[in-house]
Amino acid sequence: MDESELLALRRRIDAIDEEILKLLAERGRCARRVGELKQGAIYRPEREAQVLRRIASLNPGPLPESAVRTIFREIMSACLALEQPLKVAYLGPAGTFSEAAARKHFGSAPQFVPLASIDEVFRETEAGNIDYGVVPIENSVEGMVGVTHDLLLLHPLQICGEVMLRIHQHLMSLAPSLAAVKRVYSHAQSLAQCHEWLARHLPDVPYVPVASNAEAARLAAQDPDAAAIAGEAAAERYGLTVLAANIEDDPNNTTRFLVIAKHDAAGPSGRDKTSLVCSTPNKPGAMHRLLEPLAQYGVSMTKLQSRPAKSGLWEYVFYIDLEGHRLDDPVRQALAALEERATFLKLLGSYPAAAW
């Protein structure tokens, strides 16, 4: 080992760290001044998406893009807290995938508030007690989250962001081995996502559905004969040992979350989505006529999901995701034509597509 070279490199790293700290302080002062000049909401989801995409595109290495995004996400989070401290609600308790999604989107600086239900996240955000809520909308394996779709229809809140979270399910316990596990706690969706693994490794053990994976971990921490299926954060929070990691049947298992607020993204970010819910008369050709403007104006539809309406038997509403922002000319024209043809239409918001 060349001690002189090692010492020189350490000194160089120390000097770089000091320069980074000076630049962070300067960025913080600029962010604080921006907060003083702005009127209304400080958090601008379209601006944050643009910054993260730009930084990722400029990354020269050797740090991977994911690491660069995470670092700058935390820098932006800390600077935003200088402008406007945020309260962000999610489906609790602490340690859920919803919390992980909230932290991925907002960084570590906000005050994160776990709530008992998705309905409560909507109600507290609408009441103004919370600035932003993070709620699951669909899973790549189990499909849509019905309650979130229903609440988007019922509440006046808008979508201002989305988060894609890879779901890694782990079996955790106080028990010393799989052979010692006598029951498994987990959310029903997670049990379904790990069905094949459980059938192979714990075929005779009863499964106990609970309200959330974090609640499953909490129960397992009080029961030495039990195990829980949950994320890594829950194992750390409740002091459990991971007996088996990544037990989800689909290695690409991903959950999409929405960020809800009293506003959407005010302007385009360059890569956006627009969500809406609508209905049409139940007669031949009605659905074709409803969606025809999308093709006419060249707007791509990325999602079409039907959901029973609350107004009557065998009546449905349709949830649609489009590529583009509501202010983009093709989307604006398509929405105007679609509104003329729909018996009901509610714009749920335009927002940056998940950046990572």
Side-chain angles (χ1 to χ4, degrees):
M1 180 184 296
D2 188 332
E3 291 291 343
S4 61
E5 183 182 3
L6 183 62
L7 181 60
L9 287 170
R10 286 173 173 168
R11 287 174 175 168
R12 176 61 180 149
I13 288 174
D14 289 344
I16 292 171
D17 288 344
E18 290 176 12
E19 186 64 24
I20 290 173
L21 186 59
K22 291 177 184 176
L23 292 172
L24 287 175
E26 183 178 351
R27 194 188 195 285
R29 287 191 290 270
C30 288
R32 180 175 286 165
R33 181 57 181 155
V34 167
E36 293 169 354
L37 294 174
K38 277 184 179 178
Q39 299 294 323
I42 302 297
Y43 173 64
R44 294 289 298 272
E46 68 276 16
R47 168 62 179 162
E48 293 210 350
Q50 290 169 342
V51 171
L52 285 174
R53 292 171 191 159
R54 175 177 175 273
I55 289 298
S57 70
L58 294 174
N59 178 30
L63 291 176
E65 182 179 312
S66 59
V68 170
R69 287 184 184 273
T70 299
I71 291 166
F72 274 85
R73 170 71 276 172
E74 289 298 331
I75 292 172
M76 294 164 65
S77 179
C79 289
L80 179 61
L82 295 174
E83 303 175 58
Q84 178 190 33
L86 297 180
K87 292 178 71 175
V88 178
Y90 63 90
L91 176 62
T96 60
F97 289 116
S98 292
E99 181 185 10
R103 291 182 179 276
K104 180 179 180 180
H105 188 81
F106 286 99
S108 300
Q111 178 186 349
F112 292 99
V113 182
L115 297 177
S117 67
I118 295 174
D119 180 72
E120 192 173 355
V121 173
F122 272 82
R123 284 190 284 106
E124 288 296 293
T125 306
E126 184 178 345
N129 299 323
I130 295 294
D131 297 302
Y132 298 92
V134 176
V135 293
I137 186 69
E138 58 185 331
N139 176 264
S140 61
V141 176
E142 293 301 303
M144 71 174 184
V145 180
V147 64
T148 302
H149 284 80
D150 292 342
L151 291 169
L152 285 169
L153 178 61
L154 294 173
H155 286 262
L157 297 174
Q158 293 183 286
I159 305 168
C160 67
E162 71 169 359
V163 190
M164 299 294 188
L165 188 70
R166 278 284 290 108
I167 303 298
H168 293 294
Q169 304 280 13
H170 306 312
L171 188 81
M172 56 196 68
S173 179
L174 296 175
S177 66
L178 284 179
V181 173
K182 296 180 180 179
R183 65 193 65 84
V184 175
Y185 296 108
S186 191
H187 189 275
Q189 277 207 343
S190 294
L191 290 171
Q193 291 166 17
C194 304
H195 174 76
E196 292 181 15
W197 189 94
L198 290 169
R200 287 196 307 270
H201 296 90
L202 295 170
D204 300 320
V205 173
Y207 313 139
V208 184
V210 295
S212 71
N213 288 342
E215 174 64 9
R218 186 188 70 81
L219 291 171
Q222 300 174 352
D223 184 350
D225 294 329
I229 298 174
E232 186 177 4
E236 295 173 359
R237 181 173 294 274
Y238 294 101
L240 299 171
T241 299
V242 174
L243 299 180
N246 301 332
I247 66 171
E248 62 275 8
D249 298 328
D250 185 345
N252 297 314
N253 185 15
T254 300
T255 296
R256 178 184 177 219
F257 295 82
L258 299 179
V259 183
I260 56 172
K262 292 186 175 181
H263 64 87
D264 66 353
S269 73
R271 189 163 67 87
D272 302 284
K273 289 182 179 180
T274 295
S275 294
L276 58 107
V277 57
C278 61
S279 61
T280 187
N282 184 12
K283 61 183 182 181
M287 200 67 194
H288 176 272
R289 184 174 183 275
L290 179 70
L291 299 178
E292 191 176 30
L294 303 183
Q296 179 183 350
Y297 293 103
V299 177
S300 177
M301 180 175 63
T302 61
K303 174 184 173 180
L304 174 62
Q305 183 77 56
S306 64
R307 181 83 179 148
K310 304 300 182 182
S311 55
L313 188 64
W314 310 124
E315 293 183 3
Y316 292 86
V317 292
F318 299 93
Y319 291 83
I320 300 174
D321 289 348
L322 309 175
E323 287 186 353
H325 192 279
R326 55 181 167 78
L327 298 181
D328 296 338
D329 280 342
V331 177
R332 179 179 55 79
Q333 292 172 315
L335 288 175
L338 198 155
E339 188 168 18
E340 290 180 356
R341 303 178 183 210
T343 55
F344 163 80
L345 187 145
K346 178 184 178 182
L347 189 63
L348 299 176
S350 293
Y351 50 92
W356 53 308

